[in-house]
Amino acid sequence: MTEILRLEHVGKSFGGIRAVNDVSFSLQQGEIIGLIGPNGAGKTTLVNLITGVHPLSMGKVFFDGEDVSRQQAYQAARRGLARTFQIVQPFPRMTVLENVAAGALFGGQAGSVNAALEMSRAELAFVGLEDFADTPASSLALPNRKRLELAKSLAMRPKALMLDEVNAGLNATEIDGALELIRKIADRGVTILIIEHLMKVVLSISQRILVLHHGELIADGDPGDVIRNPRVVEAYLGSKFAARVQAEGHHV
Amino acid sequence: MMKSLLHYVALVLWLALIASTPLFADNYTIRIAISLTMFSAMAVSWNFIGGFTGYPSFSTAAFFGIGCYVGAIAQRNGVPLVLAWVLASVFVAVFAALLGAIILRLKGHYFAIGSIAIVEVTRLITSSWGSLTGGGDGLNVPLLQGNPQEVASFVLYVMLSILVLAFCTSIYVDRSKLGFALKCISQNEDAANMVGVNTTVYKIIAYTLSAVFCGTVGAVYASWIGYIDPTDSFSILLTVKVPVMVLLGGAGTVFGPIVGAGAFILLEEVFWANFLEWNRAILGLIIVFLIFFLPNGLLKLDYNRLFKRLINKKARTPRTMDGTS
């Protein structure tokens, strides 16, 4: 396996607050990695650091062998480092198809507006939104807006995709649909980093789990080991959950 | 498709009507025609930044004023007429690009206030820099050759060319990658950044486009009027009027600015002629009316529905002689 993304001693301070502190890890191509941690642990900040939304206070980020520590957000997108937002960010007055075309045109390889629109139909079909192509993005319901975010990111032909709570606000059936979609995306060879609060979801999909607490990486490894790690249990899972997982003999 | 074809036909007829005024109308009417084309060109320009990009810029008067002064100073120093106009346009474009790199970091109300400040600052610099600009005394600009009628038609055709050039640019932008990027920025700038739009560069391009034609218009205006001073060139009223015209017609549309400028100038003529004292108050009322009843402009109104509603109303109240229904 080849390494796609590597963080070396990455840190970020907002004023006196260390939001992310000395985080190092690497992602291999085609992996699905779960990133968990309590509220305020710095998960979203970490994604913002990787994608150039916030400048790093310290450390380095390497993407596909290149030092991208000083990149801007739009450069990350063009390099193939895509992300979705916790709160969906559509272009509300454009059609669903145009939203996806924006990804293909600016982040992807489409040479013209028409080519971008053409390419985007395939991505819409991939996420199952082809029937909504010509409706305004603002009229979509939440589950479909999340799908739209995915289609928009996919149109950028990313090498790595960071999903910030794509399942928040979805019901059980909708989550199943979303997970199936995420697996399909991984099958395309896209490395996926998924931020998620529902442990069931994380355990069912991740090949590896990273745990963030107070801005520090406290665990990095196989899901089975991570949920038994005493520090993770104390910081995030709680002893009841750990006991239940043990009792159920969760196969992960 | 049919509808947009209709729009194009209407526009061509409208421009032809304006262009033909020297053939049949008196000098006063030609002046109105010049004023119409001048403001239409500036409204089309403003639409690049205010309409497509959604940044409420109030720096139109700064671009116009700098265009006036650069054109005038160049001509006084022996630069030929057309070259002086080109020089003014280039100067304004460079000025806007450099300025844009700074003030486009501001958003929303902050950007609006920052852009108004530009007008004030450029006006103050112009009136203080007496050795170059003549200060508060203003500058005389070499007069155009010919009798008043000839001069007016010449200026009209030059202004019309600027308008057509600005309009074609806006059609191109509307259909191109640039226009797509600007629409993304206006709807959600963070998301635009995230899909790979270099928002800084695109905003600067839009701001520069919104400036360059105003600079040309200013330079031509200075040559036409023959005398410029700081208060007239950097007028705060101008900077407010142009956005109001675009909003009246429909911001972010290709035809909106021309419809709005036309409607506004003609209304203004009527009000100047009939209510000299109340002119400014009426401008204020139009702005209030716009915000409350026409937030998307004249072009976005659903005329079919409006028409039907009026007919239905008449049908329901058949015989009210006093008209109160």
Side-chain angles (χ1 to χ4, degrees):
Chain A
M1 279 208 285
T2 47
E3 185 182 75
I4 186 86
L5 182 73
R6 187 169 81 246
L7 273 65
E8 285 179 1
H9 309 291
V10 166
K12 176 70 188 177
S13 309
F14 294 109
I17 297 169
R18 275 275 163 85
V20 172
N21 193 11
D22 197 22
V23 170
S24 303
F25 63 84
S26 74
L27 306 186
Q28 309 299 318
Q29 196 169 3
E31 255 189 320
I32 303 182
I33 304 97
L35 176 60
I36 60 172
N39 286 329
K43 303 183 294 292
T44 300
T45 307
L46 189 63
V47 171
N48 284 340
L49 291 176
I50 297 172
T51 51
V53 175
H54 298 318
L56 302 172
S57 302
M58 55 183 201
K60 280 196 154 97
V61 177
F62 293 89
F63 180 66
D64 212 8
E66 196 182 347
D67 184 353
V68 295
S69 310
R70 299 176 66 83
Q71 70 186 344
Q72 301 279 316
Y74 76 91
Q75 291 171 321
R78 289 182 186 176
R79 284 196 172 107
L81 192 51
R83 60 95 54 99
T84 65
F85 289 88
Q86 194 169 353
I87 297 157
V88 289
Q89 301 274 8
F91 301 113
R93 293 186 301 284
M94 289 187 188
T95 66
V96 168
L97 186 67
E98 284 169 338
N99 264 270
V100 181
L105 185 59
F106 299 104
Q109 280 98 34
S112 69
V113 177
N114 284 334
L117 289 169
E118 207 47 55
M119 282 168 67
S120 302
R121 294 216 175 260
E123 300 301 346
L124 275 187
F126 185 82
V127 302
L129 281 181
E130 64 270 40
D131 293 342
F132 297 94
D134 298 320
T135 54
S138 56
S139 69
L140 290 184
L142 186 67
N144 282 339
R145 285 189 190 203
K146 302 235 167 187
R147 282 170 185 268
L148 174 58
E149 287 284 294
L150 284 175
K152 201 161 72 177
S153 308
L154 288 174
M156 290 153 55
R157 295 289 144 88
K159 293 177 187 142
L161 180 57
M162 276 165 272
L163 305 175
D164 197 350
E165 305 214 5
V166 273
N167 297 316
L170 302 189
N171 68 31
T173 330
E174 289 159 356
I175 288 178
D176 285 343
L179 286 182
E180 195 192 311
L181 191 55
I182 293 169
R183 287 205 187 87
K184 265 167 67 186
I185 295 170
D187 287 343
R188 287 166 54 156
V190 180
T191 310
I192 293 176
L193 179 75
I194 177 167
I195 296 182
E196 185 53 74
H197 270 299
L198 294 167
M199 283 311 293
K200 216 179 103 187
V201 173
V202 181
L203 293 174
S204 71
I205 200 165
S206 313
Q207 295 155 359
R208 192 152 63 92
I209 291 183
L210 307 170
V211 187
L212 214 55
H213 182 50
H214 289 324
E216 290 179 35
L217 194 65
I218 59 169
D220 172 0
D222 184 69
D225 298 338
V226 166
I227 58 167
R228 286 181 195 90
N229 181 325
R231 282 189 76 190
V232 178
V233 171
E234 188 199 347
Y236 185 52
L237 299 176
S239 49
K240 265 188 195 166
F241 178 87
R244 200 172 77 225
V245 172
Q246 299 274 1
E248 286 171 3
H250 214 292
H251 296 291
V252 286
Chain B
M1 207 56 218
M2 271 313 287
K3 204 176 166 189
S4 93
L5 192 69
L6 203 70
H7 282 154
Y8 279 107
V9 172
L11 178 71
V12 170
L13 289 177
W14 171 239
L15 292 183
L17 177 69
I18 292 176
S20 64
T21 42
L23 301 178
F24 61 83
D26 56 4
N27 240 333
Y28 177 72
T29 317
I30 301 176
R31 268 186 95 92
I32 297 177
I34 294 177
S35 181
L36 266 173
T37 40
M38 204 172 111
F39 277 100
S40 299
M42 287 196 278
V44 171
S45 305
W46 186 84
N47 197 33
F48 288 116
I49 188 77
F52 291 132
T53 325
Y55 270 65
S57 162
F58 288 98
S59 31
T60 303
F63 304 141
F64 177 84
I66 293 173
C68 287
Y69 270 90
V70 174
I73 293 168
Q75 275 196 66
R76 284 167 66 97
N77 287 299
V79 178
L81 186 67
V82 177
L83 201 62
W85 294 346
V86 172
L87 194 71
S89 317
V90 172
F91 187 91
V92 169
V94 173
F95 173 78
L98 295 177
L99 186 71
I102 303 166
I103 72 163
L104 286 165
R105 290 163 194 271
L106 302 173
K107 281 177 193 166
H109 304 92
Y110 301 98
F111 175 78
I113 291 169
S115 64
I116 291 185
I118 302 299
V119 177
E120 273 309 283
V121 169
T122 44
R123 187 180 65 81
L124 285 172
I125 291 175
T126 312
S127 46
S128 316
W129 198 346
S131 58
L132 182 70
T133 63
D137 294 339
L139 277 183
N140 284 312
V141 189
L143 285 173
L144 294 168
Q145 297 304 313
N147 66 41
Q149 183 87 13
E150 282 166 9
V151 167
S153 353
F154 174 66
V155 171
L156 176 62
Y157 291 127
V158 174
M159 290 289 191
L160 256 182
S161 320
I162 301 171
L163 170 59
V164 170
L165 195 64
F167 181 73
C168 292
T169 313
S170 103
I171 291 179
Y172 170 75
V173 168
D174 187 45
R175 294 177 182 178
S176 70
K177 189 173 172 177
L178 169 62
F180 203 111
L182 298 182
K183 280 174 215 163
C184 288
I185 293 172
S186 84
Q187 295 187 22
N188 190 337
E189 194 168 337
D190 289 331
N193 227 323
M194 277 305 147
V195 295
V197 178
N198 188 346
T199 48
T200 315
V201 165
Y202 281 113
K203 283 190 294 188
I204 292 174
I205 296 175
Y207 195 58
T208 307
L209 281 176
S210 85
V212 61
F213 299 109
C214 297
T216 325
V217 165
V220 177
Y221 172 84
S223 303
W224 174 42
I225 296 295
Y227 166 79
I228 52 173
D229 69 23
T231 18
D232 186 36
S233 306
F234 297 94
S235 140
I236 204 79
L237 201 61
L238 172 81
T239 232
V240 178
K241 260 190 202 172
V242 171
V244 169
M245 287 171 187
V246 181
L247 295 180
L248 181 62
T253 60
V254 174
F255 294 97
I258 298 182
V259 172
F264 189 96
I265 298 282
L266 294 180
L267 280 176
E268 202 184 30
E269 267 320 305
V270 173
F271 293 137
W272 269 118
N274 298 316
F275 314 94
L276 196 54
E277 314 258 308
W278 291 89
N279 186 48
R280 297 280 164 88
I282 288 167
L283 173 67
L285 283 178
I286 293 180
I287 295 175
V288 172
F289 177 81
L290 262 180
I291 292 166
F292 278 110
F293 299 107
L294 278 178
N296 296 320
L298 290 169
L299 274 187
K300 293 275 176 76
L301 267 182
D302 191 343
Y303 288 101
N304 284 334
R305 232 181 76 196
L306 201 69
F307 198 59
K308 270 184 201 142
R309 206 193 279 172
L310 283 179
I311 289 176
N312 285 345
K313 231 178 196 173
K314 269 204 181 136
R316 252 184 278 132
T317 53
R319 290 198 185 274
T320 43
M321 295 301 286
D322 56 359
T324 51
S325 52

